[in-house]
């Protein structure tokens, strides 16, 4: 860890305490967690990073109660040093009935067979069957009841991790931007990005990098049920052309915390057209209007309205996505603003110091393309702090002074 | 490059054969509706490919198969490539509000009256939703069914795996070519993924650590995370056997990623 601001042991301790406080508030006796971001948040255990399709084969799982943490993992590497050795066991292979029975045995041992309430972030088919038959009086609830409120406000340590993740993500993107030209393949950009990310150390890739070639009108793109621009489409070995519009989206993980990088790029290298400048300027205006009111006490509804104020014809974000999402041990977490969850949901979101938001407005003029980028913002005591500083090529050579 | 040439997997046939196998297993086990949330299972049964991520997504039914109608329904969203044979009528939309997704699944013919529903995974909230959608149903574990179906590969699958192995080996060759005293393990990882990307592969999520473990006395990993330092100090006994194990495992992991990507890659004609 390079940062002098960061104390990982303190960060872990504070998070676990917060989780236990939220468990009491939600009336949850134990958590059973296997999603890497949740495991990391509640216990500080780092899971081996892998695609969900094989992550389930060798899961890292933790059980958290009011006074104990039990860890079940294939690898000792990710377990913090302060965890007593007798709290660590091999993995519970809960995809199989045998592993599910072991899980049931552990829970019965920890909690007894009476009426208890346990939060799960995932249940295998085998676990569900074993729990239903062996521990029928156990109430199963979503672990997010505990974790979503715990994660909402970040500590200074957590924000430092996100700052560091974002910085390293941006360092790698400088190299990718330098390689952007007509004739390069999407997969080559991916290779360059990941090589640089891995060389930077201590980090992993959290999402298959997106270099989406986006046609100027929706009907030219892949059909979708939502009717908006199809995004993000997984990358392939597609060759970029000079007149392409590329929507870029990448993310990495540092100390368990995610970054989020978004820009719109043009492989041609030509100066932007007046229309492209207009899209970009309107995108900046949306961000400005949101930042103007970004401070403690502002509600999700106010953020939503501020963004839409100057864009009466079309919501300035993708219909199926959001204007704002949070960022932490998951690449997308609370607060969500601009989703289909509605105004009542957004009215309950009140910004506090330590909330981290990714602003991702989109300006889209169908038939002529548009502009999308992302900015990561931390709410401070009196306003906000930008956590990234990557330039807006080809519009600006340096970062924007918001 | 390796993917050019006449010999190709027939991916439409591959998907067709896989889906048929799933329906045959549903007949055998008398499963009326199969609900799949595990990425690998949903991909196998419906051809659905979600944007690969390293952080697990919360549960959502990604594919719903109805035995009687021989119908495959798949989630349609923003980060998806839906197989061409899944018509818009067989897709249900993604919403942030899970109640809206559940409502759409409830409208699928055969779901409300199902007597036996198999699930490979679920969340507590979705268990409640599915119970109220399929009021008369008993729920069983879909794990044994899907494992049995996926165990034996079709010819096209073997072709994909063979290609994947070749690309993963190319990555390992590139990494071993720069192996030497003073190299950081992350440089090997960088060379490994960059070489694979030259074959048109994108890499969804890679192991950040535990990929290569080098002999502490001769080749020291000097710029690695706290996690690795701890491992080298405390738990790793440097040996060639261990090194080979890690490399082999890395290759296996890579192969599966490659299989997935190749599946998508081959069906596109190269420009």
């Amino acid at each position: 860890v390079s940062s002098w601001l960061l104390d990982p042991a303190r960060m872990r301790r504070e998070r676990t305490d917060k989780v236990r406080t939220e468990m009491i508030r939600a009336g949850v006796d134990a958590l059973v967690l296997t999603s890497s971001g949740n495991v990391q948040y509640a216990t500080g255990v780092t899971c081996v990073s892998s695609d969900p399709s094989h992550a389930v084969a060798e899961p890292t799982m933790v059980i958290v109660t009011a006074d104990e943490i039990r860890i079940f993992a294939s690898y000792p590497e990710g377990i913090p040093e302060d965890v007593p050795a007798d709290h660590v066991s091999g993995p519970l292979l809960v995809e199989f009935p045998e592993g599910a029975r072991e899980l049931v045995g552990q829970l019965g041992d920890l909690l007894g067979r009476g009426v208890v309430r346990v939060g799960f972030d995932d249940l295998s088919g085998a676990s569900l069957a074993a729990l239903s038959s062996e521990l029928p009086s156990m109430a199963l609830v979503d672990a997010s009841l505990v974790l979503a409120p715990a994660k909402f406000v970040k500590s200074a340590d957590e924000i430092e991790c996100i700052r560091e993740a974002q910085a390293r993500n941006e360092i790698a993107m400088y190299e990718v931007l330098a390689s952007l030209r007509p004739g390069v393949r999407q997969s080559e950009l991916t290779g360059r990005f990941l090589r640089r990310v891995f060389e930077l150390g201590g980090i992993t890739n959290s999402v298959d990098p997106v270099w989406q070639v986006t046609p100027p009108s929706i009907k030219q793109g892949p059909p979708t049920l939502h009717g908006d621009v199809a995004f993000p489409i997984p990358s392939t070995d597609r060759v970029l052309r000079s007149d392409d519009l590329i929507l870029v989206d990448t993310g990495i993980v540092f100390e368990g915390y995610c970054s989020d990088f978004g820009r719109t790029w043009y492989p041609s290298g030509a100066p932007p057209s007046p229309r492209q400048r207009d899209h970009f300027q309107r995108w900046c205006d949306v961000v400005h209007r949101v930042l103007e009111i970004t401070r403690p006490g502002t509600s999700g509804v106010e953020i939503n309205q501020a963004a839409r104020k100057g864009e009466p014809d079309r919501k300035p974000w993708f219909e199926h996505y959001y204007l704002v999402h949070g960022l932490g041990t998951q690449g997308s977490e609370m607060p969500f603003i601009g989703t289909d969850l509605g105004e009542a949901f957004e009215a309950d979101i009140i910004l506090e110091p330590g909330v981290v938001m990714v602003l991702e407005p989109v300006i889209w003029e169908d038939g002529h393309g548009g502009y999308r980028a992302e900015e990561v913002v931390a709410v401070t005591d009196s306003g906000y702090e930008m956590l990234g500083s990557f330039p807006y090529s080809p519009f600006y050579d340096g970062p924007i002074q918001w | 490059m390796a993917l050019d040439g006449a010999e190709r997997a027939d991916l439409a046939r591959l998907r067709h054969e896989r889906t048929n196998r799933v329906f045959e297993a549903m007949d055998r086990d008398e499963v009326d509706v199969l609900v799949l949330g595990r990425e690998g299972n949903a991909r196998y049964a419906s051809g659905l490919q979600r944007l690969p991520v390293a952080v697990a997504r919360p549960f959502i039914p990604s594919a719903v198969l109805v035995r009687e109608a021989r119908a495959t329904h798949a989630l349609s969203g923003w980060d998806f490539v839906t197989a061409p044979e899944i018509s818009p009528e067989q897709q249900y939309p993604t919403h942030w509000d899970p109640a809206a997704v559940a409502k759409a699944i409830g409208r699928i013919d055969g779901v409300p009256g199902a007597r036996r529903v198999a699930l490979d995974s679920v969340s507590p909230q979705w268990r409640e939703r599915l119970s109220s959608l399929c009021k008369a149903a008993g729920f069983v574990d879909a794990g044994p069914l899907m494992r049995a179906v996926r165990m034996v590969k079709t010819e096209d699958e073997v072709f994909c795996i063979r290609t994947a192995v070749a690309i993963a080996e190319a990555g390992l060759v590139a990494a071993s070519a720069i192996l030497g005293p003073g190299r950081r393990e992350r440089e090997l990882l960088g060379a490994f993924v960059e070489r694979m990307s030259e074959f048109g592969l994108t890499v969804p999520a890679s192991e950040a650590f535990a990929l290569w473990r080098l002999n502490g006395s001769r080749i020291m990993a000097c710029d690695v995370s706290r996690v690795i330092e701890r491992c080298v100090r405390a738990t790793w006994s440097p040996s060639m056997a261990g090194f080979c194990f890690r490399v082999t495992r890395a290759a296996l992991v890579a192969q599966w990623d490659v299989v997935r990507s190749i599946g998508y890659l081959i069906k596109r004609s190269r420009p």
Side-chain angles (χ1 to χ4, degrees):
Chain A
V1 177
S2 60
S3 171
W4 56 272
L5 290 171
L6 179 62
D7 181 340
R10 175 179 62 196
M11 176 170 75
R12 287 198 302 273
R13 201 172 51 239
E14 287 178 356
R15 287 188 316 211
T16 306
D17 288 348
K18 223 165 150 186
V19 167
R20 287 187 165 133
T21 304
E22 290 296 335
M23 282 169 65
I24 294 167
R25 192 196 51 78
V28 167
D29 301 297
L31 291 175
V32 180
L33 306 174
T34 190
S35 170
S36 55
N38 293 340
V39 169
Q40 180 100 38
Y41 188 88
T43 66
V45 172
T46 302
C47 305
V48 173
S49 169
S50 62
D51 183 75
S53 59
H54 40 70
V56 294
E58 275 184 296
T60 297
M61 186 174 275
V62 295
I63 303 176
V64 182
T65 66
D67 46 20
E68 197 173 330
I69 291 178
R70 290 191 186 177
I71 299 168
F72 306 91
S74 305
Y75 299 91
E77 290 94 327
I79 298 167
E81 288 180 35
D82 46 15
V83 174
D86 60 352
H87 289 219
V88 182
S89 320
L92 294 176
L93 302 178
V94 293
E95 297 300 295
F96 299 88
E98 295 82 353
R101 275 200 296 275
E102 272 184 71
L103 172 64
V104 166
Q106 290 284 343
L107 289 171
D109 175 36
L110 274 166
L111 303 168
R113 297 191 167 262
V115 178
V116 286
R117 213 164 117 92
V118 179
F120 289 82
D121 62 357
D122 178 87
L123 284 162
S124 69
S127 298
L128 179 64
L131 288 164
S132 309
S133 66
E134 304 293 321
L135 297 173
S137 53
M138 178 185 285
L140 314 181
V141 297
D142 277 18
S144 59
L145 283 180
V146 170
L147 292 172
K151 289 176 174 183
F152 185 64
V153 171
K154 273 78 180 171
S155 68
D157 287 320
E158 293 180 275
I159 291 175
E160 177 60 7
C161 288
I162 298 171
R163 203 183 275 123
E164 189 73 27
Q166 193 67 21
R168 290 165 187 237
N169 191 338
E170 291 186 356
I171 291 169
M173 293 308 284
Y174 280 105
E175 185 157 326
V176 177
L177 183 57
S179 319
L180 183 73
R181 56 175 168 74
V184 74
R185 290 181 191 276
Q186 289 175 323
S187 49
E188 287 177 73
L189 299 182
T190 298
R192 242 153 259 177
F193 175 70
L194 294 179
R195 195 202 64 216
R196 193 73 186 107
V197 161
F198 292 138
E199 286 172 358
L200 289 167
I203 41 187
T204 187
N205 174 39
S206 61
V207 56
D208 195 3
V210 173
W211 325 99
Q212 181 179 319
V213 177
T214 312
S217 66
I218 293 169
K219 68 175 189 307
Q220 292 172 285
T224 64
L225 290 188
H226 53 66
D228 204 339
V229 178
F231 175 86
I233 301 294
S235 298
T236 67
D237 62 342
R238 179 170 182 156
V239 170
L240 306 187
R241 302 180 185 197
S242 70
D243 57 348
D244 282 339
L245 180 155
I246 311 295
L247 299 182
V248 175
D249 201 333
T250 63
I252 64 165
V253 181
F254 172 81
E255 282 288 321
Y257 283 82
C258 298
S259 64
D260 198 350
F261 180 99
R263 288 290 188 275
T264 299
W265 286 348
Y266 314 96
S268 71
S273 70
R275 189 165 245 134
Q276 287 169 340
R277 284 195 178 283
D278 173 61
H279 294 163
F280 173 67
Q281 190 54 53
R282 283 163 55 198
W283 182 88
C284 289
D285 293 345
V286 174
V287 175
H288 270 298
R289 287 197 298 274
V290 170
L291 290 178
E292 261 170 20
I293 60 164
T294 297
R295 67 180 79 89
T298 299
S299 75
V301 173
E302 290 171 301
I303 298 268
N304 186 319
Q305 287 169 348
R308 294 168 72 153
K309 205 168 157 195
E311 295 289 335
D313 299 333
R314 188 192 154 92
K315 266 189 220 172
W317 60 89
F318 287 143
E319 177 65 33
H320 52 288
Y321 244 134
Y322 31 46
L323 168 68
V324 170
H325 65 85
L327 190 66
T329 55
Q330 278 157 309
S332 176
E333 59 182 48
M334 278 292 280
F336 293 106
I337 303 172
T339 66
D340 58 13
L341 291 166
E343 198 169 315
F345 178 82
E346 289 178 9
D348 284 344
I349 296 170
I350 306 293
L351 299 188
E352 294 177 49
V355 170
V356 174
M357 303 193 292
V358 179
L359 313 182
E360 48 176 280
V362 179
I363 299 297
W364 187 261
E365 186 184 357
D366 205 38
H368 302 281
Y371 192 88
R372 175 187 183 273
E374 297 176 84
E375 278 289 353
V376 187
V377 183
V379 180
T380 62
D381 290 340
S382 57
Y384 61 87
E385 179 200 341
M386 308 305 281
L387 300 185
S389 60
F390 199 84
Y392 281 83
S393 312
F395 304 100
Y396 285 102
D397 287 337
I400 294 178
Q401 298 303 313
W402 296 102
Chain B
M1 285 202 280
L3 300 176
D4 285 332
E7 196 191 350
R8 295 280 168 105
D10 182 337
L11 292 169
R13 181 177 61 196
L14 175 143
R15 289 192 301 269
H16 179 73
E17 288 180 357
R18 289 191 313 203
T19 306
N20 270 354
R21 287 181 176 202
V22 176
F23 281 123
E24 282 164 18
M26 289 171 73
D27 286 337
R28 195 188 57 226
D29 294 359
E30 296 180 344
V31 168
D32 299 323
V33 170
L34 177 63
V35 178
L36 301 174
R38 294 279 183 246
E39 304 256 353
N41 285 341
R43 189 184 305 153
Y44 186 93
S46 73
L48 185 80
Q49 297 202 29
R50 304 190 70 174
L51 181 72
V53 291
V55 183
R57 296 179 170 96
F59 172 84
I60 190 152
S62 298
V64 177
L65 281 78
V66 181
R67 173 162 65 121
E68 197 175 295
R70 282 293 193 264
T72 309
H73 298 262
L75 185 66
S76 166
W78 46 84
D79 58 351
F80 288 48
V81 178
T82 311
E85 58 272 20
I86 308 284
S87 70
E89 295 72 40
Q90 289 167 267
Q91 297 172 34
Y92 48 92
T94 311
H95 295 281
W96 292 100
D97 180 3
V101 180
K103 206 171 152 189
I105 291 174
R107 282 197 291 263
I108 294 174
D109 273 349
V111 167
R115 310 288 299 180
R116 191 171 158 86
V117 175
L119 297 168
D120 67 351
S121 55
V122 76
S123 65
Q125 186 197 133
W126 267 98
R127 184 180 75 142
E128 298 304 319
R129 292 188 191 283
L130 291 169
S131 298
S132 49
L133 286 181
C134 311
K135 290 199 171 61
F139 289 86
V140 296
D141 176 18
L145 183 154
M146 288 306 296
R147 276 195 293 278
V149 167
R150 291 173 62 178
M151 174 82 94
V152 178
K153 296 337 185 219
T154 68
E155 238 175 78
D156 291 308
E157 286 184 287
V158 172
F159 179 89
C160 287
I161 292 169
R162 191 181 290 132
T163 311
V165 171
I167 294 181
E169 285 179 351
L172 288 171
V173 167
S176 61
I178 63 163
L179 184 65
R183 279 288 182 192
R184 293 175 297 142
E185 59 184 3
R186 298 195 157 275
E187 292 177 74
L188 304 186
L189 182 53
F192 177 66
V193 295
E194 191 173 47
R195 179 66 180 132
M196 290 199 296
S197 80
E198 288 169 13
F199 293 92
L201 170 76
T202 64
V203 182
S206 294
E207 296 189 318
F209 57 93
L211 189 59
W212 277 277
R213 193 67 66 233
L214 306 181
N215 185 321
S217 61
R218 295 178 56 203
I219 310 167
M220 188 60 197
C222 58
D223 180 21
V224 292
S225 67
R226 171 182 49 76
V227 166
I228 284 179
E229 286 164 16
R230 172 177 174 270
C231 173
V232 169
R233 276 206 315 276
T235 62
W236 187 255
S237 84
S239 72
M240 208 53 203
F243 174 71
C244 290
F245 167 74
R246 290 296 189 187
V247 171
T248 308
R249 191 174 178 287
L252 285 171
V253 167
Q255 281 162 23
W256 287 107
D257 286 338
V258 176
V259 168
R260 180 202 58 74
S261 302
I262 291 294
Y264 185 58
L265 184 66
I266 295 175
K267 80 173 176 219
R268 284 173 173 265
S269 56
R270 295 169 68 87

